[in-house]
Amino acid sequence: MTSATTPRVRFAPSPTGYLHVGGARTALFNWLFARHFGGTLILRIEDTDFERSSQEMVEGILTGMRWLGLNWDEGPFYQSQRLDLYRATAEKLLASGHAYHCFCTKAELEQRRAEAAAAGRPPMYDRRCRSIERSVATGRKAAGEACAVRFAVPDGGTTSFEDAVFGRVEFANAEIEDFVLLRSDGIPTYHLSVVADDLDMRLTHIIRGADHISNTPKQVLQYRALGAELPVFAHVPLILGPDKTRLSKRHGATSVIAYKDMGIVPEAFRNFLALLGWTPGSEHKDKEIFSSDDLIQLFSLDGISKSNAVFNNDKLAWYNTEYIRAYDAKNLLPLIEEEWKVFNFTPERGPEEILSTIELLKPRARNLKDFATTFRAYFSDSFEFEPAAVAKFLKDDATRSLLVELGKRYEQAPEFTEYWAEQILRSFADESGVKAGVLINGARVALTGQAVAPSLFAVMGALGKARVVNRLSGAGKISA
RNA sequence: GGCGCCAUGGUGUAACUGGUUAACACGCCGCCCUCUCAAGGCGGAGAGUUCGGGUUCGAUCCCCGAUGGCGCUACCA
């Protein structure tokens, strides 16, 4: 592939908030697209709204991308450091007559908009400054009068573009107002800076949220005015909450880091996100689990859906269990250690034991948090008994004394393996005239504090003789 | 309000250029397995494709209209 045909794409978040779910998916699609074609992904920070942008948010966005494993090839570039480019672009547009100075003040504009609304007219800019003579305008500007630069939208006709997802999209020019390119303080608006940057960065494909469809004709108009070729636009449908309104804080977590904090594994989140609004096609319709490499290989703009998608937490949770189960214990350990840190928990087991215990537990973990909460008893002697579990399997005094007695049997046993642990328990149950299940269920609670756990004898194997004996001997004192 | 876009079970999606008992996954229900809970295996409920018109021998698929949802409508991005 020659460099001329190698795609160059970008992710261009505005640092007015953390990396949210929708932004993350846009980033993911751009990344997938770039990696699929061996192209270049550029990270551009759109921080021209100084009021709302902050370095903290930039860091948050970078953290989110790293967590998802999305690396970029160029940047991050900051629009706040590229103001000269935008001013020069505005000058070009001014010089070619595609833009003009506007001396209307914000207050005047607002008042006229209110009047228009009251009269039932569309609240568009009335273009009054468009008729000001060039020389007059430059004179007024030179005299120190504040002015913005507006784009002169053609009077009639339509502006259209071919979208890789939506097909041909067309707008009547009469519907597009003479939008502001450069604010009176010399700071560009989004409309100008995107075009100037997308052009300057030689981007070939613009993959972004569908909320930008209506903005696109304003950009197309500038490309034409500048005599530039259009990139390929690909608008991605939005992600909605369960009530089908745009995903927002009302729906709970919207920042990707919040999902990390909730104990979600990044591969699960990425897989889930990739299939929200995109499908690898019918040949793969029976498959749901896709590795990063699979996704890169399969990704294509053709598979992007046109309709908005609802974010489904249940499905995410399912992916999480699938991925946790598939993890190697040694790769899972660092993630679990992070959770332990969050909970201020220190395991009291050796490294080998920890790994084999993770191996035992991971098939039934739903979430990384489980390792620091419900699975505590496997890693430390300080753990809580779940009242419901005690009430269900240990409420009987007789059962508890039998467990204490069972502990003694184990203590005296010459061998303590999963096999012998089971033999001993079952023969003890026979001898005592109780069902093995009673002792098994009771022992599980005595050993783990939980009613839910892996096979009891596997648990015993993981805990080791000393702990098993010790915890069973304390069974008499457990109360609900 | 204006303009634009979209519309398949509760959710995500599939159904080659119109011909299928409308498929898969999540979720839900039941059964099996079983020492609990997951997992796993098996089975089930749940959409006639938003609605109404066309075109056609035949429409999820093409056309028109309606409805609904979403987006844009700033000197925000």
Side-chain angles (χ1 to χ4, degrees), chain A residues 184-206:
Chain A
S184 50
D185 59 5
I187 304 302
T189 62
Y190 165 75
H191 303 301
L192 206 215
S193 56
V194 254
V195 172
D197 273 340
D198 288 347
L199 230 32
D200 185 63
M201 296 174 179
R202 307 189 322 280
L203 298 176
T204 58
H205 301 257
I206 308 298

Side-chain angles (χ1 to χ4, degrees), chain A residues 4-265:
Chain A
T5 57
T6 300
R8 291 173 61 81
V9 295
R10 43 74 160 181
F11 175 52
S14 170
T16 55
Y18 293 102
L19 179 62
H20 56 91
V21 173
R25 196 198 41 177
T26 301
L28 174 62
F29 282 11
N30 274 286
W31 182 79
L32 254 15
F33 186 76
R35 295 294 167 262
H36 178 87
F37 288 109
T40 304
L41 175 62
I42 296 164
L43 179 60
R44 186 172 76 211
I45 306 298
E46 308 216 320
D47 58 349
T48 53
D49 183 347
F50 300 139
E51 310 280 290
R52 297 196 299 148
S53 301
S54 74
Q55 187 57 36
E56 187 201 345
M57 294 307 170
V58 172
E59 292 304 331
I61 289 167
L62 301 189
T63 304
M65 286 185 72
R66 288 193 198 102
W67 180 64
L68 278 173
L70 307 181
N71 59 328
W72 54 94
D73 307 300
E74 294 178 17
F77 297 109
Y78 292 80
Q79 290 194 321
S80 58
Q81 290 167 16
R82 297 165 57 83
L83 299 178
D84 288 347
L85 172 70
Y86 314 131
R87 287 170 191 154
T89 308
E91 273 316 315
K92 237 185 261 179
L93 258 9
L94 239 15
S96 62
H98 289 287
Y100 60 93
H101 293 287
C102 171
F103 297 90
C104 301
T105 65
K106 212 166 173 174
E108 288 168 345
L109 257 15
E110 263 163 36
Q111 193 196 331
R112 277 179 233 150
R113 246 197 305 274
E115 284 167 9
R121 282 179 284 118
M124 286 210 288
Y125 177 59
D126 60 13
R127 299 180 166 183
R128 68 177 62 192
C129 292
R130 195 156 160 177
S131 53
I132 297 173
E133 210 63 52
R134 260 308 277 294
S135 54
V136 176
T138 31
R140 282 171 71 175
K141 194 185 175 204
E145 198 173 337
C147 66
V149 175
R150 283 184 188 272
F151 188 88
V153 175
D155 274 325
T158 61
T159 297
S160 64
F161 60 95
E162 202 62 42
D163 191 282
V165 174
F166 290 94
R168 188 183 177 76
V169 183
E170 189 176 71
F171 290 82
N173 288 151
E175 298 294 336
I176 307 170
E177 83 171 336
D178 281 0
F179 53 96
V180 171
L181 294 167
L182 214 51
R183 302 186 259 210
S184 50
D185 59 5
I187 304 302
T189 62
Y190 165 75
H191 303 301
L192 206 215
S193 56
V194 254
V195 172
D197 273 340
D198 288 347
L199 230 32
D200 185 63
M201 296 174 179
R202 307 189 322 280
L203 298 176
T204 58
H205 301 257
I206 308 298
I207 304 169
R208 68 196 350 171
D211 48 342
H212 285 295
I213 288 181
S214 306
N215 290 325
T216 307
K218 293 179 185 164
Q219 292 158 28
V220 170
L221 251 12
Q222 290 179 76
Y223 276 90
R224 299 217 199 288
L226 259 7
E229 225 176 285
L230 291 184
V232 174
F233 290 100
H235 288 95
V236 181
L238 303 176
I239 298 176
L240 311 177
D243 60 355
K244 307 222 178 188
T245 64
R246 210 226 259 258
L247 199 62
S248 73
K249 287 169 200 69
R250 289 186 300 109
H251 300 109
T254 51
S255 142
V256 290
I257 290 305
Y259 288 91
K260 171 186 191 285
D261 294 343
M262 281 162 64
I264 303 288
V265 139

